[in-house]
Amino acid sequence: MQQLLDTAEKIRTMEIRGAGRIAAAAARALRDYVEMLETSSFEEFVAKVEKAKSILIETRPTAVSLPNAVMLAGSYDAETVEEARSQILDNATEFIQNADNALDNIGEIGAKRLRDGDTVMTHCNSHAALAIIKTAHNQGKRIKVYATESRPRRQGFITIKELSDAGIDTTLIVDSAVRHTMKNVDTVIVGADSITVNGALVNKIGTSQLALAAHEARVNFISAAETYKFSPSTLFGDLVEIEERDPEEVISKDKLGDMPDVKISNPAFDVTPSEYIDLIVTEAGAFPPEMAYVIIKEHLGWELEKMG
């Protein structure tokens, strides 16, 4: 349990960040916990596994990849401890392997949308988005990238390091320079934390700014997302909760000391409407956002059955 609690804390504090990495880490933590869980009572086993699932799911409320990963990895249909344990270990291992393979498939599918000489803008630090850019680069295409700083956590610094290590021509821009820079861009590629049933994209705060600027400049806007980032609960009317993070990520309490009337808002995500999204690239193919329902139904049907 301590190892699982450590993983949950790393997810909560964003030491582990990015929807895909969070999903894989949660599945791995649940698998390891179940493997080590010592009990002969099936009722006790079920109770402890459900508690472990809840601990992981509650760490980040917005990234739907987290509950999807936990539910997929932790599913079982058994009546004994060992049968349930075996099924969870198999399901978790399968999920982790599929998550790794998904990035390769997304890269191959998405790279077809980039031409030799294209300039791409990206936001935050998305493994799926970078998979497309790196794959196109490895195919010999000359790709240039504008990467946003992505305040307040500055995940863009991680992105530019990864792109530099890959030998890709990259320029870091401040978030407020997005609209100014968009005239030099051919395609915007971002990741996804959640995609709703109507094709809306919930992603790192500032994503909607890129989408609006791209729409105005008639630049293609692509979201790269594994299928487990689609939100089944939105089919039943649930809203995706937008996480509000610690104001200290923006400004320290010491600096606010002489400004008692100032408050800090630090939302971690925003929502981009489907009409500003040209394409969603998944490991199962590239789809318009209007097909989000099909992805949820065909790839996350297990959740619909439980929620129906």
Side-chain angles (χ1 to χ4, degrees), residues 6 9-17 153 245:
D6 289 344
E9 181 64 11
K10 289 178 181 179
I11 292 172
R12 188 189 66 79
T13 60
M14 293 182 65
E15 184 175 339
I16 299 174
R17 65 181 75 183
R153 297 296 296 247
R245 292 195 57 82

Side-chain angles (χ1 to χ4, degrees), residues 7 9 33 39 41 61 67 79 90 94 99 109 120 140 145 147 155 200 202 206 220 248 263 265 267 274 294:
T7 298
E9 181 64 11
Y33 171 70
T39 179
S41 166
E79 297 180 356
D90 289 345
E94 181 181 7
I109 294 168
V120 176
V145 178
Q155 290 100 324
V202 182
N220 284 333
E248 288 258 333
K263 301 179 180 65
S265 175
S274 60
V294 176

Side-chain angles (χ1 to χ4, degrees), residues 166-307:
I168 298 172
D169 185 354
T170 304
T171 300
L172 178 70
I173 62 172
V174 296
D175 295 342
S176 51
V178 163
R179 186 171 183 270
H180 171 78
T181 309
M182 193 61 70
K183 61 181 178 291
N184 303 320
V185 174
D186 298 295
T187 301
V188 174
I189 305 178
V190 300
D193 279 273
S194 298
I195 297 175
T196 67
V197 68
N198 68 346
L201 168 64
V202 182
N203 197 46
K204 168 72 177 180
I205 189 74
T207 299
S208 60
Q209 173 184 248
L210 271 73
L212 286 168
H215 184 75
E216 178 191 43
R218 298 183 180 180
V219 170
N220 284 333
F221 184 94
I222 295 174
S223 173
E226 298 90 329
T227 52
Y228 59 76
K229 292 180 181 177
F230 288 71
S231 177
S233 64
T234 59
L235 183 60
F236 299 92
D238 289 351
L239 300 176
V240 176
E241 178 183 350
I242 301 298
E243 179 183 0
E244 184 77 24
R245 292 195 57 82
D246 192 336
E248 288 258 333
E249 293 182 350
V250 179
I251 186 171
S252 67
K253 291 180 180 178
D254 293 340
K255 292 182 180 179
L256 278 178
D258 59 349
M259 295 181 283
D261 296 323
V262 175
K263 301 179 180 65
I264 303 298
S265 175
N266 184 24
F269 306 96
D270 62 20
V271 181
T272 299
S274 60
E275 56 263 35
Y276 295 109
I277 303 168
D278 293 290
L279 202 66
I280 300 174
V281 178
T282 77
E283 73 274 19
F287 307 93
E290 293 79 10
M291 289 188 66
Y293 169 76
V294 176
I295 297 296
I296 292 173
K297 183 175 182 294
E298 293 187 358
H299 292 271
L300 298 171
W302 56 271
E303 182 70 3
L304 300 183
E305 291 176 5
K306 291 182 180 181
M307 297 178 66

Side-chain angles (χ1 to χ4, degrees), residues 32-249:
D32 294 346
Y33 171 70
V34 169
E35 186 174 22
M36 301 290 290
L37 183 56
E38 295 182 0
T39 179
S40 58
S41 166
F42 185 64
E43 289 74 17
E44 182 181 6
F45 178 89
V46 170
K48 289 188 174 182
V49 169
E50 292 305 311
K51 181 180 179 181
K53 289 179 181 179
S54 296
I55 290 171
L56 290 167
I57 290 172
E58 291 169 4
T59 55
R60 298 292 303 275
T62 301
V64 74
S65 62
L66 179 55
N68 282 353
V70 171
M71 294 300 292
L72 283 166
S75 62
Y76 59 91
D77 181 16
E79 297 180 356
T80 69
V81 170
E82 292 311 314
E83 286 178 356
R85 189 197 313 273
S86 177
Q87 289 178 25
I88 291 174
L89 295 183
D90 289 345
N91 289 334
T93 300
E94 181 181 7
F95 177 86
I96 295 166
Q97 291 174 345
N98 288 343
D100 290 338
N101 294 335
L103 288 176
D104 292 334
N105 292 337
I106 288 172
E108 291 293 331
I109 294 168
K112 295 176 182 178
R113 297 284 172 163
L114 296 182
R115 302 161 299 182
D116 185 30
D118 270 0
T119 297
V120 176
M121 181 180 287
T122 192
H123 186 53
C124 198
N125 178 242
S126 164
H127 271 184
L130 292 182
I132 294 175
I133 296 169
K134 290 179 181 178
T135 300
H137 172 75
N138 292 336
Q139 291 172 349
K141 297 175 183 177
R142 293 166 294 175
I143 304 296
K144 295 183 179 180
V145 178
Y146 285 104
T148 61
E149 184 183 16
S150 308
R151 280 185 52 81
R153 297 296 296 247
R154 294 185 171 90
Q155 290 100 324
F157 290 2
I158 304 172
T159 293
I160 61 172
K161 180 64 167 65
E162 291 186 35
L163 291 170
S164 177
D165 289 346
I168 298 172
D169 185 354
T170 304
T171 300
L172 178 70
I173 62 172
V174 296
D175 295 342
S176 51
V178 163
R179 186 171 183 270
H180 171 78
T181 309
M182 193 61 70
K183 61 181 178 291
N184 303 320
V185 174
D186 298 295
T187 301
V188 174
I189 305 178
V190 300
D193 279 273
S194 298
I195 297 175
T196 67
V197 68
N198 68 346
L201 168 64
V202 182
N203 197 46
K204 168 72 177 180
I205 189 74
T207 299
S208 60
Q209 173 184 248
L210 271 73
L212 286 168
H215 184 75
E216 178 191 43
R218 298 183 180 180
V219 170
N220 284 333
F221 184 94
I222 295 174
S223 173
E226 298 90 329
T227 52
Y228 59 76
K229 292 180 181 177
F230 288 71
S231 177
S233 64
T234 59
L235 183 60
F236 299 92
D238 289 351
L239 300 176
V240 176
E241 178 183 350
I242 301 298
E243 179 183 0
E244 184 77 24
R245 292 195 57 82
D246 192 336
E248 288 258 333
E249 293 182 350

